[in-house]
Amino acid sequence: MSLSEDKKKRLKEIPGIDTLILKIKNDFSVKDVPESLISKKSKEFVENLRKDIVSGKYDSQKEIDTDETAVKIYKTILKAHEPNFKRVINATGVVVHTNLGRSLLAKEAAEFVLERATGFSNLELDLKTGKRGLRYSLVEDLVCEISGCESAMVVNNNAAAVLLCLDTFARGREVVVSRGELVEIGGSFRIPEVMEKSGAVLKEVGTTNRTHLKDYANAHDETRTAMFLKVHTSNFDIIGFTSKVSLEDLSKLSREKNVILMEDLGSGTFIDFSRFGLPKEPTVTESVKAGTDLVTFSGDKLLGGPQAGIIAGKKELIEKIRKNPLTRALRIDKMTLAALEITLRLYRDPENAIKKIPTLKMISADLREIEQKAYLLKDQIDALEIKNLKTQLLKSSSRAGGGSLPETNIPTICLGIETNKFSASYLEKFMRKNNPPVMGRIENDRYLLDLRTVSDEEIKIIAGAFKNLKTELE
Ligand SMILES: *Cc1c(COP(=O)(O)O)cnc(C)c1O
């Protein structure tokens, strides 16, 4: 196949790889970029350009310019060089947002992670005996102190905690669960499926809306029943004609029948949320006090720590769990342990915890404080004088997220952005493509930025995104 004269001309114009690499190195700041990446991206670009010319996909009549080509390659280098794991501004108003990384660590916890991650430690060394120690013991005392439990164990996440408990005590036996509590959490965690994976047999009792103590009693079988399991209905509310069995009653029954009572709290907390004028979420301490044998909860939901699964319970049961070989596969990492230890320490003084743990601070934030931030952002955006763009403070509601307080609207102040130039979904996309991405929400066809989850420093960044929008529009 012979190429047209045009194509031949274009191919000849392609700058040499070495020329391009040299130009990129001279013209742009690529000091931190590995040579190999610069050369790889340059070669890739030239190769694709050549293919496009031959195939006719590149059909510009313009001469290929070395400077322009270098700029294009530089952009692909930058894109490949920046981390995939990016900072995102959360202006959704969902405090514990699983897609955006759930809880932010307290500063103290984050600093401690850095220290323990960059130096050797007593992760599995008992400093008293000089012998091998258990990593779990680094936080066990604290969990016991704060929750009142006898013993504790920590694993990779709460899903792992539930799986491990079921696998240890209920493999091949029955676990009695109310039909109103067969929860699915965000698609991948469903109680019936976790049960199946663990080899436990699900014994459903009651109905979706009402389950009574006698349902549990009737379902009990001397040999088959291993456990009564209560699951916190984290992400939905059953309202109307409903009835649930209290933990206290179930605890009494489990003693009588000699079966284990376990509660999967999901988002466990040590703080009574009614103090913020919000509905009460069950606390870990209450669950322990009510007589459960095992309580499991997440580290990165309302607790406001790192991703982890915490099991608080009776000493003899925790000891058995520790001996389960699965623990090795579900084990918690040292950086997580470092963050968890400091987060738990903050709970020794609940007032301090509320001040220092971002998740608690955001949930309990004062409306005036949120309004002030909204005004600050409004002023900065208005100062840009973007044509036909209207900003307006609006009352709306935030969510706690993370499978907690599911139907609770937490009053908030948002900045609404409107323009007759483009739709709310165009704006949403533009903000999401910003660097760093800004995530807002759309309500009644209006783009909203909820300032509850935005820090003071982030206001400038959001305003910067609007500056980019202005440039794009002009
Ligand atoms: C969130 C949740 C889980 C899963 O916890 P992870 O820490 O995300 O693994 C399990 N059970 C309930 C009830 C939950 O709310």
Side-chain angles (χ1 to χ4, degrees):
M1 189 182 76
S2 71
L3 288 172
S4 71
E5 285 309 308
D6 249 7
K7 286 183 180 175
K8 279 186 196 154
K9 192 159 164 259
R10 291 284 95 86
L11 285 174
K12 273 206 203 106
E13 285 164 10
I14 297 177
I17 296 279
D18 293 340
T19 315
L20 283 167
I21 292 175
L22 203 66
K23 180 137 199 67
I24 290 164
K25 284 206 226 157
N26 280 337
D27 292 6
F28 308 111
S29 72
V30 286
K31 265 207 311 291
D32 301 331
V33 183
E35 281 264 0
S36 59
L37 184 65
I38 300 175
S39 131
K40 180 170 172 256
K41 286 288 156 192
S42 302
K43 279 180 193 152
E44 250 173 43
F45 190 90
V46 164
E47 229 163 76
N48 286 335
L49 184 57
R50 189 165 284 138
K51 267 192 217 147
D52 288 349
I53 291 170
V54 172
S55 73
K57 200 165 148 204
Y58 181 96
D59 63 355
S60 167
Q61 294 303 309
K62 231 180 82 202
E63 195 176 309
I64 292 170
D65 177 77
T66 308
D67 283 5
E68 259 176 47
T69 309
V71 170
K72 283 182 190 159
I73 297 172
Y74 174 61
K75 280 187 184 158
T76 71
I77 291 171
L78 274 193
K79 203 152 180 260
H81 188 57
E82 78 185 23
N84 296 326
F85 198 3
K86 291 184 199 335
R87 172 189 195 169
V88 170
I89 311 291
N90 177 8
T92 65
V94 180
V95 178
V96 183
H97 197 308
T98 296
N99 298 2
L100 304 184
R102 286 204 181 156
S103 283
L104 309 184
L105 293 181
K107 202 161 153 279
E108 292 83 347
E111 283 167 1
F112 194 64
V113 172
L114 184 67
E115 275 182 37
R116 284 302 158 272
T118 52
F120 292 113
S121 60
N122 63 336
L123 180 65
E124 290 199 345
L125 174 71
D126 183 336
L127 286 168
K128 259 191 248 149
T129 62
K131 296 222 167 72
R132 182 164 185 172
L134 289 172
R135 59 179 65 208
Y136 322 113
S137 57
L138 295 171
V139 293
E140 183 178 12
D141 291 357
L142 282 162
V143 176
C144 294
E145 180 187 319
I146 303 161
S147 73
C149 67
E150 282 178 14
S151 182
M153 157 95 189
V154 282
V155 287
N156 181 58
N157 59 9
N158 186 38
V162 174
L163 178 71
L164 184 59
C165 291
L166 292 174
D167 184 87
T168 309
F169 301 108
R171 173 163 287 281
R173 296 178 70 204
E174 285 181 0
V175 176
V176 184
V177 189
S178 159
R179 290 199 168 91
E181 297 175 5
L182 294 172
V183 180
E184 171 183 306
I185 314 287
S188 52
F189 181 92
R190 301 170 116 184
I191 285 292
E193 287 167 17
V194 174
M195 198 85 76
E196 204 180 305
K197 268 270 170 281
S198 74
V201 179
L202 172 63
K203 178 86 184 165
E204 299 177 30
V205 294
T207 59
T208 310
N209 57 331
R210 289 169 73 83
T211 303
H212 310 284
L213 191 61
K214 66 173 190 293
D215 294 325
Y216 288 90
N218 291 341
H220 176 261
D221 177 274
E222 217 38 74
T223 51
R224 287 197 305 271
T225 310
M227 189 186 272
F228 292 152
L229 173 65
K230 287 280 280 179
V231 183
H232 181 42
T233 52
S234 317
N235 48 11
F236 66 100
D237 265 348
I238 296 181
I239 56 165
F241 186 55
T242 64
S243 164
K244 269 190 196 178
V245 177
S246 75
L247 270 182
E248 285 81 2
D249 288 345
L250 206 52
S251 165
K252 241 174 44 213
L253 184 67
S254 70
R255 290 291 93 80
E256 269 169 41
K257 305 284 189 194
N258 197 26
V259 299
I260 294 168
L261 173 61
M262 167 166 151
E263 181 170 42
D264 173 17
L265 267 183
S267 178
T269 174
F270 296 123
I271 303 277
D272 179 352
F273 277 74
S274 61
R275 59 177 289 168
F276 308 134
L278 299 172
K280 212 172 156 328
E281 280 282 293
T283 68
V284 181
T285 316
E286 285 160 356
S287 181
V288 171
K289 211 164 161 189
T292 50
D293 300 300
L294 294 166
V295 191
T296 67
F297 57 102
S298 284
D300 58 353
K301 290 186 178 172
L302 288 184
L303 193 75
Q307 179 192 302
I310 302 161
I311 310 170
K314 298 273 155 68
K315 202 174 174 65
E316 56 172 318
L317 300 183
I318 298 287
E319 261 161 30
K320 282 203 180 116
I321 292 172
R322 282 193 184 140
K323 291 193 185 116
N324 186 332
L326 247 190
T327 54
R328 178 58 197 258
L330 307 174
R331 115 177 153 176
I332 188 167
D333 164 66
K334 68 166 181 259
M335 289 191 270
T336 312
L337 268 170
L340 188 60
E341 176 171 2
I342 298 302
T343 305
L344 289 170
R345 277 182 192 280
L346 289 172
Y347 277 97
R348 281 180 157 164
D349 175 2
E351 301 314 311
N352 199 30
I354 293 164
K355 266 194 238 126
K356 295 199 162 152
I357 294 174
T359 298
L360 297 178
K361 207 171 150 185
M362 285 184 231
I363 289 177
S364 64
D366 191 82
L367 208 53
R368 273 166 309 181
E369 206 181 297
I370 300 171
E371 185 176 28
Q372 255 173 19
K373 285 194 275 187
Y375 271 122
L376 219 68
L377 179 60
K378 181 177 170 23
D379 287 349
Q380 293 190 18
I381 295 174
D382 289 350
L384 295 168
E385 297 185 333
I386 304 172
K387 246 191 234 141
N388 298 318
L389 190 98
K390 264 203 323 228
T391 57
Q392 186 186 3
L393 263 63
L394 297 162
K395 283 187 182 145
S396 181
S397 37
S398 314
R399 292 277 166 147
S404 51
L405 303 166
E407 285 306 308
T408 305
N409 295 320
I410 311 173
T412 192
I413 304 285
C414 290
L415 187 64
I417 317 280
E418 261 178 309
T419 167
N420 49 17
K421 272 278 230 330
F422 44 78
S423 66
S425 63
Y426 173 89
L427 194 54
E428 189 279 331
K429 193 170 159 195
F430 186 89
M431 289 295 141
R432 179 159 38 84
K433 300 248 154 128
N434 188 65
N435 184 18
V438 176
M439 298 299 293
R441 67 170 189 259
I442 296 174
E443 226 171 76
N444 303 324
D445 283 330
R446 191 165 17 203
Y447 184 69
L448 296 186
L449 296 160
D450 189 332
L451 279 295
R452 177 181 297 277
T453 43
V454 176
S455 71
D456 292 339
E457 303 83 66
E458 288 170 341
I459 291 175
K460 247 201 267 126
I461 299 176
I462 300 177
F466 278 90
K467 204 168 169 189
N468 296 339
L469 180 71
K470 187 184 179 184
T471 317
E472 161 117 345
L473 291 176
E474 278 162 4

